[in-house]
Amino acid sequence: MDDDIGWEVDADDESSAVAALIGRQIKFWREAAGLRAVQFGERMGYGENLIHKVERGARIPRPEFLDRADEVLGAGGQLRSFKPDAERARYPRRVRDLAKLEARSVEVCAYNNSVIEGLLQTPGYAAAVFGCRRPPFSQDELDTRLAARMARTAIIDASKSSPVFSFVQCESTLRRTLGGTMVRQAQLEHLLQLARLRNVNLQVLPLDLEENAGLSGPFKLFKLKDGSTVAHSEAQLTSRVISDPKEVQILDVRYGMIRAQALRPRESLAFIDKLRGEA
């Protein structure tokens, strides 16, 4: 059970302050209950060393750990109340930043010619993408990133008025068999389901074009509630939020050209369905 206590904290990440606060509270309630760390660990089912890690803020506890600690220490809901903070803090900073932009957006536009866009991924496909990374992620890091990605996908909710989503996927991303044939099949079916939502516009950019405005790689546009637009670009070892108006304008124009070159939504749906039938 020790390995399931929570997630390691990067000391340089702002989430370390949240982890330290939660750790101090757990230590306070443990000492108030008259328990040594080893005794608390025995009641929780964890080793003393890992209890100390949580109390030092070196590890962010999982929600179930906080539930159990609240019960064991008689904290009356005080420790349990930190669950939302722990849930947000466990994700990498880049993921938290993107989630904030998505939540502030009235429209999210994304083009990808590398993989299926993250917000559209199934758990199996996302695991395959992260599994391709070299040098590989540790199992703990892989689990953290997968959980973060799946949590972000919840923002695509047709019952809400905003944001609305526009996705353009290069045909190549639909043809790659990352994770195997079954994973690809499930991913294509998932795309068909999402493409039918009222707040989702999904288009495919065919490979047989004589012109292609998307050769420079993936990017996103976030059209915010205050009327401004920011962009996000990701490449080898870099992830950058772009707010300079001139750079954002270039990407906005480029996205418009990509959408114009792509198949129309209804044609894209038929195209994906055809690929699914061939799989």
Side-chain angles (χ1 to χ4, degrees):
M1 190 176 179
D2 280 356
D3 292 339
D4 293 331
I5 196 171
W7 303 271
E8 295 290 345
V9 177
D10 184 344
D12 296 328
D13 194 305
E14 62 187 24
S15 66
S16 61
V18 176
L21 173 62
I22 294 174
R24 286 196 300 271
Q25 286 296 309
I26 291 173
K27 184 177 182 180
F28 170 82
W29 284 101
R30 173 179 64 77
E31 292 178 342
L35 296 175
R36 290 181 290 120
V38 63
Q39 295 172 313
F40 177 49
E42 287 173 353
R43 296 191 184 187
M44 292 288 293
Y46 296 103
E48 180 182 6
N49 182 53
L50 283 170
I51 295 298
H52 284 308
K53 277 190 174 184
V54 170
E55 292 184 348
R56 289 200 313 271
R59 206 163 172 90
I60 301 171
R62 293 181 184 271
E64 54 267 28
F65 178 93
L66 291 171
D67 281 335
R68 176 64 177 155
D70 196 277
E71 179 183 340
V72 168
L73 300 177
Q78 293 296 312
L79 296 179
R80 188 176 288 114
S81 69
F82 283 107
K83 289 198 307 183
D85 303 285
E87 187 74 12
R88 287 190 296 270
R90 69 178 172 131
Y91 300 143
R93 180 174 182 173
R94 180 183 69 83
V95 174
R96 295 200 306 273
D97 289 344
L98 288 178
K100 288 177 183 177
L101 286 173
E102 289 158 358
R104 291 167 51 199
S105 298
V106 294
E107 183 179 11
V108 176
C109 305
Y111 166 71
N112 208 311
N113 63 350
S114 176
V115 295
I116 301 297
E117 174 57 39
L119 290 176
L120 301 174
Q121 292 178 7
T122 64
Y125 184 91
V129 171
F130 289 132
C132 289
R133 197 253 202 183
R134 294 296 180 272
F137 291 121
S138 68
Q139 188 60 48
D140 189 65
E141 177 73 356
L142 194 153
D143 290 344
T144 298
R145 288 176 178 270
L146 182 59
R149 177 150 297 178
M150 291 301 101
R152 279 180 55 218
T153 63
I155 196 171
I156 302 182
D157 185 347
S159 67
K160 299 177 181 178
S161 59
S162 65
V164 294
F165 299 88
S166 171
F167 300 102
V168 181
Q169 288 290 151
C170 180
E171 178 185 339
S172 61
T173 65
L174 305 175
R175 292 190 176 278
R176 291 193 179 103
T177 54
L178 293 179
T181 302
M182 296 298 291
V183 168
R184 176 176 176 250
Q185 184 82 346
Q187 179 62 67
L188 292 176
E189 291 176 356
H190 186 59
L191 290 178
L192 291 172
Q193 293 173 4
L194 292 177
R196 295 187 177 98
L197 296 177
R198 295 194 312 275
N199 62 334
V200 174
N201 187 88
L202 177 59
Q203 294 175 259
V204 176
L205 187 67
L207 285 172
D208 60 358
L209 294 175
E210 293 185 5
E211 294 181 345
N212 187 324
L215 295 179
S216 296
F219 64 94
K220 299 182 183 71
L221 294 168
F222 301 95
K223 301 187 178 183
L224 306 179
K225 295 175 182 177
D226 63 6
S228 63
T229 300
V230 296
H232 176 261
S233 176
E234 194 168 10
Q236 294 284 340
L237 305 179
T238 62
S239 177
R240 186 167 75 104
V241 173
I242 304 165
S243 57
D244 180 84
K246 291 183 179 179
E247 293 187 29
V248 172
Q249 185 181 56
I250 291 171
L251 292 176
D252 197 6
V253 170
R254 187 171 297 169
Y255 190 75
M257 294 178 67
I258 291 171
R259 286 190 69 179
Q261 292 170 345
L263 298 175
R264 290 178 295 182
R266 189 179 297 274
E267 295 170 335
S268 297
L269 204 64
F271 187 88
I272 296 171
D273 195 33
K274 181 174 178 292
L275 288 180
R276 181 187 61 167
E278 295 172 355

